[in-house]
C-alpha cells in the first residue's frame, strides 16, 4: 500500500456539513496516513470553487475541479460522497452522474454518508449491492432505485468496496468502521508498498499490509481520544423505530 491513503471527497452547493467534516475530521487530522482533496463537482477550480458552500453560509474551498479529478494522473484510493439537500437536483444530471460513476470505478473504496448513497445509486454503481441512506428520505427515495438492496435498519452497510451510512451523525460511526477496514500501521506500509487493487466489479480487494486487529485497535484509539462512543455494531440503529418528524431538514 502507498505510504498514504488518498481520499477524494466530492463537494457541491448545500451539502451537509457534518456528513463531510464529521468522519473526515475524525480520520484525516489524526494520521499521517490519510489525506483528502475536495473535488468541486460543479467543475469550478480554486478559488472559484468557494461557491461549493454548505448551508448556513460556510464556504468550502475545493482543491480540484471535476475535470482535474478525472485526469489519469490524479490517483486516489477512496471516493467519499457526502449527502445533503444539494444532491437532490444532481441525480437528474446524466453527464455528472457519468463522471461520478467513472470516479467510483477508479476507486478501491467508496464511502458515502447520508443521502450521498442516493447520488451514488443514481449512477447505477450500487445495483445488486446492499446499502442504506437517510431515514427521513428512505421511504420516498429508495423506491426510485430498485436495483439496490436497501437496508433500513443499519447505521452503515459494507458491501464489496461500498460503505454507505445512514443519516448525518451515523457517518461518524461509519467513519470508524472505515478506519477499521483500511488503516495500515507505518511499519506495514513500508514493508508492503504495493497499491490496493481496484475491482472492476465493485468487490472489496485486499489492502497490502493490512492487519485487522491493528486497524480495529487504531479505530478505538482515535474514538477514545475524541471522547466518542463508537457504535461498532451497524445493526444497532434505534432511529429506525422512532416516529419520523415532518419538520426540520435533512
Amino acid at each position: 500500500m502507498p505510504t498514504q491513503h488518498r481520499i477524494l471527497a466530492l463537494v457541491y452547493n448545500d451539502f451537509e456539513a457534518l456528513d463531510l467534516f464529521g468522519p473526515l475530521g475524525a480520520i484525516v487530522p489524526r494520521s499521517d496516513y490519510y489525506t483528502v482533496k475536495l473535488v468541486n463537482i460543479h467543475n469550478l477550480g480554486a478559488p472559484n470553487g468557494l461557491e461549493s458552500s454548505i448551508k448556513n453560509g460556510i464556504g468550502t474551498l475545493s482543491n480540484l475541479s471535476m475535470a482535474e479529478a478525472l485526469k489519469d494522473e490524479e490517483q486516489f484510493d477512496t471516493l467519499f460522497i457526502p449527502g445533503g439537500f444539494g444532491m437532490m437536483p444532481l441525480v437528474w444530471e446524466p453527464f455528472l452522474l457519468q463522471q461520478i460513476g467513472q470516479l467510483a470505478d477508479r476507486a478501491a473504496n467508496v464511502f458515502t454518508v447520508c443521502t450521498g448513497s442516493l447520488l451514488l445509486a443514481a449512477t447505477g454503481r450500487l445495483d445488486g449491492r446492499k446499502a442504506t441512506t437517510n431515514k427521513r428520505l428512505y421511504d420516498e427515495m429508495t423506491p426510485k432505485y430498485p436495483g439496490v438492496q436497501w437496508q433500513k435498519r443499519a447505521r452503515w452497510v459494507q458491501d464489496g468496496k461500498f460503505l454507505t451510512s445512514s443519516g448525518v451523525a451515523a457517518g461518524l460511526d461509519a467513519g470508524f468502521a472505515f478506519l477499521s477496514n483500511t488503516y495500515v500501521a507505518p511499519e506495514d506500509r513500508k514493508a508492503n508498498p504495493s497499491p490496493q487493487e481496484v475491482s472492476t466489479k465493485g468487490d472489496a480487494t485486499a489492502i497490502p499490509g493490512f492487519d485487522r486487529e491493528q486497524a480495529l485497535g487504531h479505530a478505538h484509539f482515535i474514538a477514545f481520544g475524541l471522547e466518542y462512543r463508537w457504535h461498532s455494531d451497524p445493526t444497532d440503529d434505534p432511529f429506525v423505530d422512532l416516529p419520523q418528524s415532518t419538520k426540520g431538514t435533512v
Side-chain angles (χ1 to χ4, degrees), residues 13-182:
N13 291 320
D14 203 19
F15 72 88
E16 175 58 52
L18 190 57
D19 287 5
L20 177 75
F21 298 117
L24 295 190
I27 294 169
V28 176
R30 291 161 184 83
S31 174
D32 61 352
Y33 181 47
Y34 297 97
T35 65
V36 63
K37 289 184 178 180
L38 303 182
V39 180
N40 185 300
I41 68 172
H42 305 294
N43 217 27
L44 299 172
N48 294 325
L50 185 62
E51 288 189 17
S52 274
S53 59
I54 59 180
K55 57 189 174 185
N56 302 323
I58 303 175
T60 304
L61 188 62
S62 60
N63 304 99
L64 301 169
S65 67
M66 179 64 88
E68 291 170 329
L70 287 167
K71 292 181 178 179
D72 290 339
E73 55 265 30
E74 188 61 45
Q75 299 295 308
F76 58 98
D77 304 290
T78 293
L79 177 66
F80 182 91
I81 308 177
F85 271 127
M87 55 69 55
M88 299 295 280
L90 304 180
V91 300
W92 303 107
E93 297 187 24
F95 183 63
L96 175 61
L97 295 177
Q98 181 183 25
Q99 292 178 315
I100 295 174
Q102 289 172 357
L103 290 178
D105 290 343
R106 289 172 52 194
N109 314 277
V110 181
F111 180 5
T112 73
V113 175
C114 194
T115 53
S117 61
L118 297 173
L119 187 55
L120 182 63
T123 71
R125 299 314 191 273
L126 284 178
D127 285 353
R129 296 286 180 180
K130 295 179 180 179
T132 194
T133 192
N134 183 282
K135 297 293 190 297
R136 289 190 178 182
L137 291 179
Y138 189 97
D139 292 338
E140 174 187 354
M141 295 298 296
T142 56
K144 298 181 185 297
Y145 307 104
V148 182
Q149 300 174 31
W150 294 106
Q151 310 293 304
K152 196 169 188 177
R153 183 179 295 278
R155 291 290 280 172
W156 75 88
V157 172
Q158 180 84 54
D159 191 345
K161 72 177 186 179
F162 301 103
L163 172 63
T164 59
S165 89
S166 186
V168 195
L172 281 165
D173 290 329
F176 287 107
F178 175 78
L179 271 180
S180 70
N181 288 329
T182 61

